[in-house]
Amino acid sequence: VNPVIVELRRNAEEMRQEELGKSLKHLHGCSEEVMNEMDRLSHSIMNKMLHQPITELKRAAREENLETGLMSFCRAICKLK
């Protein structure tokens, strides 16, 4: 499961960097303090969004029956009953 988590985080980080770059281009002449805060904010949001899916993915990987684990994972990240 670790390679999947690494890839998930890498993809999210690429998206975060891309969107942060776009936003910073629109803020001509903003201070370094503002740029750093936007970086911190976007990183924090990304981590919070990934926390539950990664936690559930790890839990699903521990399940003995892989099919049951994956179904449980999908239910958990989609908040299904």
Side-chain angles (χ1 to χ4, degrees), residues 9-64:
R9 284 190 144 301
R10 187 186 64 75
N11 287 344
E13 179 62 19
E14 285 178 6
M15 285 187 259
R16 182 187 80 83
Q17 290 289 333
E18 183 179 326
E19 294 304 314
L20 179 61
K22 288 178 188 177
S23 291
L24 291 175
K25 282 182 183 178
H26 294 294
L27 297 173
H28 302 291
C30 68
S31 69
E32 180 130 1
E33 182 181 12
V34 169
M35 290 177 13
N36 289 339
E37 184 58 22
M38 287 186 65
D39 183 63
R40 186 205 61 75
L41 174 65
S42 65
H43 194 266
S44 178
I45 291 169
M46 180 191 77
N47 282 337
K48 286 182 184 222
M49 291 183 75
L50 291 177
H51 176 74
Q52 188 64 29
I54 288 173
T55 298
E56 290 299 323
L57 185 57
K58 287 178 179 179
R59 187 191 57 72
R62 290 189 303 265
E63 297 271 330
E64 285 184 34

